[in-house]
Amino acid sequence: NAGVTQTPKFQVLKTGQSMTLQCAQDMNHEYMSWYRQDPGMGLRLIHYSVGAGITDQGEVPNGYNVSRSTTEDFPLRLLSAAPSQTSVYFCASTPGTANSPLHFGNGTRLTVT
Amino acid sequence: GDSVTQMEGPVTLSEEAFLTINCTYTATGYPSLFWYVQYPGEGLQLLLKATKADDKGSNKGFEATYRKETTSFHLEKGSVQVSDSAVYFCALLNTGGFKTIFGAGTRLFVKA
């Protein structure tokens, strides 16, 4: 019973490099989202998707791209990494039905130097 | 817009002490309210939830009551254990059902 799987667990990038954070869920959830967690700021929504082929911006989308070609996968792309993107990134999914809580992956700790 | 405010931490308690973590919210409509817990090195997991006014969510000895009149959802536990040391997040799910808004989190340390 894998739930939400994120890879990699840790990553160090140099400024200007690009990379993709992977997220997969095996619960057939329609809704998936990416959050970043920074000290004292809680979790802030980056992008979300309400189904395959549909994505939308959250609170802090700049510098990130997403796509949703399948129900299972929701990768997050950093186009040109900046030190301000140093954070812990969480992927989450939910059926999207009323009152459903989020199911989280274990996170990716990203450092941009 | 919708928002969640929770008390700043860290909160440090001795084992068997009473815990309260305050949470208030601002939202249009009738959101669902949640408490999530994050143990070191892990993602968040649901602790409890309440979906309408006066509902009480409970789990593992923790409780919280949805108070619409005071827009609050305070987390309580009568006797904390060392294993309760974690970060606790209050959150709301807006009426549309797609966006969960989180508070800043409160770190709890419980000493033996």
Coordinates of all heavy atoms in Angstrom, one line a residue, chain A residues 9 31 35 37-38 40-45 48 50 57-58 88 90 94 96-107, chain B residues 30-32 34 36 38 41-46 49-52 87 89 93 96-105 107:
Chain A
K9 N 14.5 12.0 -2.3 CA 14.2 12.5 -1.0 C 15.0 13.8 -0.7 O 14.6 14.6 0.1 CB 14.7 11.4 0.0 CG 14.0 11.4 1.3 CD 14.3 10.1 2.1 CE 13.8 10.2 3.5 NZ 12.4 10.2 3.6
Y31 N -7.6 14.5 -7.4 CA -7.0 15.8 -7.0 C -5.5 15.6 -6.5 O -5.3 14.8 -5.6 CB -7.8 16.5 -6.0 CG -7.3 17.7 -5.5 CD1 -7.2 18.9 -6.3 CD2 -6.8 17.8 -4.2 CE1 -6.6 20.0 -5.8 CE2 -6.3 19.0 -3.7 CZ -6.2 20.1 -4.5 OH -5.7 21.3 -4.0
Y35 N 2.9 21.4 -2.4 CA 3.1 22.5 -1.4 C 4.6 22.6 -1.2 O 5.4 21.7 -1.3 CB 2.5 22.1 -0.1 CG 0.9 22.1 -0.1 CD1 0.2 21.0 -0.5 CD2 0.3 23.3 0.3 CE1 -1.2 21.1 -0.5 CE2 -1.1 23.3 0.4 CZ -1.8 22.2 -0.1 OH -3.2 22.3 0.0
Q37 N 7.1 23.9 2.1 CA 7.1 24.1 3.5 C 8.3 24.9 3.9 O 9.5 24.4 3.7 CB 7.0 22.8 4.3 CG 7.0 23.0 5.8 CD 6.9 21.8 6.6 OE1 7.3 20.7 6.1 NE2 6.4 21.8 7.8
D38 N 8.1 26.1 4.4 CA 9.2 26.9 4.9 C 9.0 27.3 6.3 O 7.9 27.5 6.8 CB 9.3 28.2 4.0 CG 9.5 27.9 2.6 OD1 10.6 27.4 2.2 OD2 8.6 28.1 1.8
G40 N 8.1 28.8 9.7 CA 7.2 29.9 10.1 C 6.2 30.2 9.1 O 5.4 31.2 9.4
M41 N 6.1 29.5 8.0 CA 5.1 29.9 7.0 C 4.1 28.8 6.7 O 3.3 28.9 5.8 CB 5.9 30.3 5.7 CG 6.8 31.5 6.0 SD 7.5 32.2 4.5 CE 6.1 33.0 3.8
G42 N 4.2 27.7 7.4 CA 3.3 26.6 7.1 C 3.5 26.0 5.7 O 4.7 26.0 5.2
L43 N 2.5 25.5 5.1 CA 2.5 25.0 3.8 C 1.8 25.9 2.8 O 0.7 26.4 3.1 CB 1.9 23.6 3.7 CG 2.7 22.4 4.1 CD1 2.8 22.4 5.6 CD2 2.1 21.1 3.6
R44 N 2.5 26.2 1.7 CA 1.9 27.1 0.7 C 1.7 26.3 -0.6 O 2.6 25.6 -1.1 CB 2.8 28.3 0.5 CG 2.9 29.2 1.7 CD 3.8 30.5 1.4 NE 5.2 30.1 1.3 CZ 6.1 30.9 0.8 NH1 5.8 32.1 0.5 NH2 7.4 30.5 0.8
L45 N 0.6 26.5 -1.2 CA 0.2 25.8 -2.4 C 0.9 26.3 -3.6 O 0.8 27.5 -3.9 CB -1.3 25.8 -2.5 CG -1.9 25.0 -3.7 CD1 -1.7 23.6 -3.5 CD2 -3.4 25.4 -3.8
Y48 N -1.9 22.9 -8.4 CA -2.8 21.8 -8.1 C -3.4 21.3 -9.4 O -3.4 22.0 -10.5 CB -3.8 22.1 -7.1 CG -4.8 23.1 -7.4 CD1 -6.1 22.8 -7.9 CD2 -4.5 24.5 -7.3 CE1 -7.0 23.8 -8.2 CE2 -5.4 25.5 -7.6 CZ -6.7 25.1 -8.1 OH -7.6 26.1 -8.4
V50 N -7.0 19.0 -10.7 CA -8.3 18.4 -10.3 C -8.6 17.1 -11.2 O -9.7 16.5 -11.1 CB -9.5 19.3 -10.3 CG1 -9.2 20.5 -9.4 CG2 -9.7 19.9 -11.7
Q57 N -2.9 27.2 -11.0 CA -1.9 27.8 -10.1 C -2.4 27.9 -8.7 O -3.6 28.2 -8.4 CB -1.5 29.2 -10.6 CG -0.8 29.1 -11.9 CD -0.4 30.5 -12.4 OE1 -0.8 31.5 -11.8 NE2 0.4 30.6 -13.5
G58 N -1.5 27.8 -7.7 CA -1.9 28.0 -6.3 C -1.4 29.4 -5.9 O -1.3 30.3 -6.7
V88 N 11.3 22.5 1.6 CA 10.9 21.1 1.6 C 9.6 21.1 0.8 O 8.7 21.8 1.0 CB 10.7 20.5 3.0 CG1 10.2 19.1 2.9 CG2 11.9 20.7 3.8
F90 N 6.2 19.0 -0.7 CA 5.3 17.9 -0.4 C 4.3 17.8 -1.6 O 3.7 18.8 -2.0 CB 4.6 18.1 0.9 CG 5.5 17.9 2.1 CD1 6.0 19.0 2.8 CD2 5.8 16.6 2.5 CE1 6.8 18.8 3.9 CE2 6.6 16.4 3.6 CZ 7.1 17.5 4.3
T94 N -6.0 13.7 -2.9 CA -7.2 13.4 -2.3 C -8.3 13.0 -3.3 O -8.1 13.4 -4.5 CB -7.7 14.7 -1.5 OG1 -9.0 14.4 -0.9 CG2 -7.8 15.9 -2.4
G96 N -11.0 14.3 -3.6 CA -11.7 15.5 -4.1 C -13.1 15.5 -3.7 O -13.8 16.5 -4.0
T97 N -13.6 14.5 -3.0 CA -15.0 14.5 -2.6 C -15.1 15.4 -1.3 O -14.1 15.7 -0.7 CB -15.4 13.1 -2.2 OG1 -14.5 12.5 -1.4 CG2 -15.5 12.2 -3.5
A98 N -16.3 15.7 -1.0 CA -16.5 16.6 0.1 C -15.8 16.2 1.4 O -15.9 15.0 1.8 CB -18.0 16.8 0.4
N99 N -15.1 17.1 2.0 CA -14.5 16.9 3.3 C -13.3 15.9 3.3 O -12.9 15.4 4.4 CB -15.5 16.4 4.4 CG -16.8 17.2 4.4 OD1 -16.7 18.4 4.3 ND2 -18.0 16.5 4.4
S100 N -12.8 15.5 2.2 CA -11.7 14.5 2.1 C -10.4 15.2 2.6 O -10.0 16.2 2.0 CB -11.6 14.0 0.7 OG -12.7 13.3 0.3
P101 N -9.7 14.5 3.5 CA -8.4 15.1 3.8 C -7.3 14.8 2.8 O -7.5 13.9 1.9 CB -8.1 14.3 5.1 CG -8.8 13.0 5.0 CD -10.0 13.3 4.2
L102 N -6.2 15.4 2.9 CA -5.1 15.2 2.0 C -4.2 14.0 2.5 O -4.1 13.8 3.7 CB -4.2 16.4 1.9 CG -4.8 17.7 1.3 CD1 -3.9 18.9 1.5 CD2 -5.0 17.4 -0.2
H103 N -3.7 13.3 1.5 CA -2.7 12.2 1.8 C -1.4 12.7 1.3 O -1.2 13.1 0.1 CB -3.1 10.9 1.1 CG -4.4 10.4 1.5 ND1 -4.5 9.2 2.3 CD2 -5.6 10.8 1.3 CE1 -5.7 9.0 2.5 NE2 -6.5 9.9 2.0
F104 N -0.3 12.8 2.1 CA 0.9 13.4 1.8 C 2.0 12.3 1.5 O 2.0 11.3 2.1 CB 1.4 14.3 2.9 CG 0.7 15.6 3.0 CD1 -0.4 15.7 3.7 CD2 1.3 16.7 2.4 CE1 -1.1 17.0 3.8 CE2 0.6 17.9 2.4 CZ -0.5 18.1 3.1
G105 N 2.9 12.7 0.6 CA 4.2 12.0 0.5 C 5.1 12.4 1.6 O 4.8 13.3 2.4
N106 N 6.3 11.8 1.6 CA 7.3 12.1 2.7 C 8.2 13.3 2.4 O 9.0 13.6 3.2 CB 8.1 10.9 3.0 CG 7.4 9.9 3.8 OD1 6.5 10.2 4.6 ND2 7.8 8.6 3.7
G107 N 8.0 13.9 1.3 CA 8.7 15.2 1.0 C 10.0 15.0 0.3 O 10.7 14.0 0.3
Chain B
Y30 N -18.9 27.4 4.5 CA -18.8 26.5 5.6 C -17.7 25.5 5.4 O -17.9 24.4 4.9 CB -20.2 25.8 5.8 CG -21.3 26.8 6.0 CD1 -22.1 27.2 4.9 CD2 -21.6 27.3 7.3 CE1 -23.1 28.1 5.1 CE2 -22.6 28.2 7.5 CZ -23.3 28.6 6.4 OH -24.4 29.5 6.6
P31 N -16.5 25.9 5.7 CA -15.3 25.0 5.4 C -15.3 23.8 6.3 O -15.9 23.8 7.4 CB -14.1 25.9 5.7 CG -14.6 26.8 6.8 CD -16.0 27.1 6.4
S32 N -14.6 22.8 5.9 CA -14.2 21.7 6.8 C -12.9 22.0 7.5 O -12.1 22.7 6.9 CB -14.0 20.4 6.0 OG -15.2 20.0 5.4
F34 N -9.4 20.8 9.8 CA -8.6 19.6 10.1 C -7.4 20.0 11.0 O -7.0 21.1 11.0 CB -7.9 19.1 8.7 CG -8.9 18.8 7.7 CD1 -9.4 19.8 6.8 CD2 -9.3 17.5 7.5 CE1 -10.3 19.5 5.8 CE2 -10.2 17.2 6.5 CZ -10.7 18.2 5.6
Y36 N -3.6 18.3 11.2 CA -2.6 17.4 10.7 C -1.4 17.4 11.7 O -1.1 18.4 12.3 CB -2.1 17.8 9.3 CG -3.1 17.6 8.2 CD1 -4.1 18.6 7.9 CD2 -3.1 16.5 7.4 CE1 -5.0 18.5 6.9 CE2 -4.0 16.3 6.4 CZ -5.0 17.3 6.1 OH -5.9 17.2 5.1
Q38 N 2.9 16.3 11.9 CA 4.1 15.9 11.1 C 5.1 15.5 12.1 O 5.7 16.3 12.9 CB 4.5 17.1 10.3 CG 5.8 16.8 9.4 CD 6.2 18.1 8.7 OE1 6.1 19.2 9.2 NE2 6.8 17.8 7.5
G41 N 11.0 14.1 9.8 CA 11.4 13.4 8.6 C 10.2 12.8 7.8 O 10.5 12.1 6.8
E42 N 9.0 13.1 8.2 CA 7.8 12.6 7.5 C 6.9 13.6 6.9 O 7.1 14.8 7.2 CB 7.0 11.7 8.4 CG 7.8 10.5 9.0 CD 6.9 9.7 9.9 OE1 5.7 9.9 10.0 OE2 7.5 8.8 10.6
G43 N 6.0 13.2 6.1 CA 5.0 14.1 5.6 C 3.9 14.3 6.6 O 3.9 13.6 7.7
L44 N 3.0 15.2 6.3 CA 1.8 15.4 7.2 C 0.9 14.2 7.1 O 0.7 13.6 6.1 CB 1.1 16.7 6.9 CG 1.7 18.0 7.3 CD1 3.0 18.3 6.5 CD2 0.7 19.1 7.1
Q45 N 0.2 13.9 8.3 CA -0.9 12.9 8.3 C -2.0 13.5 9.0 O -1.9 14.3 10.0 CB -0.4 11.6 8.8 CG 0.2 11.7 10.2 CD 0.8 10.4 10.7 OE1 0.1 9.5 11.2 NE2 2.1 10.2 10.4
L46 N -3.2 13.1 8.6 CA -4.4 13.6 9.3 C -4.5 13.1 10.7 O -4.3 11.9 11.0 CB -5.6 13.1 8.5 CG -7.0 13.5 9.1 CD1 -7.2 15.0 9.0 CD2 -8.1 12.7 8.5
K49 N -10.6 15.6 12.1 CA -11.3 16.6 11.3 C -12.7 16.8 11.9 O -13.2 16.0 12.6 CB -11.4 16.1 9.9 CG -12.3 15.0 9.6 CD -12.4 14.7 8.1 CE -13.5 13.6 7.8 NZ -13.6 13.3 6.4
A50 N -13.3 17.9 11.4 CA -14.7 18.2 11.7 C -15.3 18.9 10.5 O -14.6 19.8 9.9 CB -14.8 19.1 13.0
T51 N -16.5 18.6 10.2 CA -17.0 19.1 8.9 C -18.2 20.1 9.1 O -18.6 20.7 8.1 CB -17.5 17.9 8.1 OG1 -18.5 17.2 8.8 CG2 -16.4 17.0 7.7
K52 N -18.7 20.3 10.3 CA -19.7 21.3 10.4 C -19.7 21.8 11.9 O -19.1 21.2 12.8 CB -21.1 20.7 10.1 CG -21.6 19.5 10.9 CD -22.9 19.1 10.4 CE -23.5 18.0 11.3 NZ -22.7 16.8 11.4
V87 N 5.1 18.5 14.9 CA 4.6 19.8 14.5 C 3.1 19.5 14.1 O 2.8 18.6 13.4 CB 5.3 20.3 13.3 CG1 4.8 21.7 12.9 CG2 6.8 20.4 13.6
F89 N -0.5 21.1 12.5 CA -1.0 22.1 11.6 C -2.5 22.1 11.6 O -3.1 21.1 11.5 CB -0.5 21.8 10.2 CG 0.9 21.9 9.9 CD1 1.8 20.9 10.1 CD2 1.4 23.2 9.4 CE1 3.2 21.0 9.8 CE2 2.8 23.3 9.2 CZ 3.6 22.2 9.4
L93 N -10.5 23.4 4.6 CA -10.8 23.0 3.2 C -12.0 23.8 2.8 O -13.0 23.7 3.4 CB -11.1 21.5 3.1 CG -11.5 21.0 1.7 CD1 -10.4 21.2 0.7 CD2 -11.9 19.5 1.8
G96 N -15.5 25.0 -2.0 CA -15.3 24.4 -3.3 C -14.7 23.0 -3.2 O -14.8 22.3 -4.2
G97 N -13.9 22.8 -2.2 CA -13.4 21.4 -2.0 C -12.0 21.1 -2.6 O -11.6 20.0 -2.7
F98 N -11.4 22.1 -3.2 CA -10.1 21.9 -3.9 C -8.9 22.4 -3.2 O -7.8 21.9 -3.5 CB -10.2 22.4 -5.3 CG -11.2 21.8 -6.2 CD1 -12.1 22.6 -7.0 CD2 -11.4 20.4 -6.2 CE1 -13.1 22.0 -7.7 CE2 -12.3 19.8 -7.0 CZ -13.2 20.6 -7.8
K99 N -9.0 23.4 -2.4 CA -7.8 24.0 -1.9 C -7.8 23.9 -0.3 O -8.7 24.4 0.3 CB -7.7 25.5 -2.2 CG -7.5 25.7 -3.7 CD -7.3 27.2 -4.0 CE -7.2 27.5 -5.5 NZ -7.1 28.9 -5.7
T100 N -6.8 23.3 0.2 CA -6.6 23.2 1.7 C -5.6 24.3 2.1 O -4.6 24.4 1.5 CB -6.1 21.9 2.1 OG1 -7.0 20.9 1.8 CG2 -5.9 21.8 3.6
I101 N -6.0 25.2 3.0 CA -5.2 26.3 3.5 C -4.7 25.9 4.9 O -5.5 25.4 5.8 CB -6.1 27.6 3.7 CG1 -6.8 27.9 2.4 CG2 -5.2 28.7 4.1 CD1 -6.0 28.1 1.2
F102 N -3.4 26.1 5.1 CA -2.7 25.6 6.3 C -2.3 26.8 7.2 O -2.0 27.9 6.7 CB -1.5 24.8 6.0 CG -1.8 23.5 5.5 CD1 -2.0 23.2 4.1 CD2 -1.8 22.4 6.3 CE1 -2.2 22.0 3.6 CE2 -2.1 21.1 5.9 CZ -2.3 20.9 4.5
G103 N -2.3 26.6 8.5 CA -1.7 27.5 9.4 C -0.2 27.3 9.4 O 0.3 26.4 8.7
A104 N 0.5 28.1 10.1 CA 2.0 28.1 10.1 C 2.6 26.9 10.8 O 3.8 26.6 10.6 CB 2.6 29.4 10.7
G105 N 1.8 26.2 11.6 CA 2.3 25.0 12.3 C 2.8 25.4 13.7 O 3.3 26.5 13.9
R107 N 5.2 23.7 16.8 CA 6.0 22.6 17.2 C 5.8 22.3 18.7 O 5.8 23.3 19.5 CB 7.5 22.9 16.9 CG 8.4 21.8 17.2 CD 9.9 22.1 16.8 NE 10.0 22.3 15.4 CZ 10.2 21.3 14.5 NH1 10.3 20.1 15.0 NH2 10.3 21.6 13.3

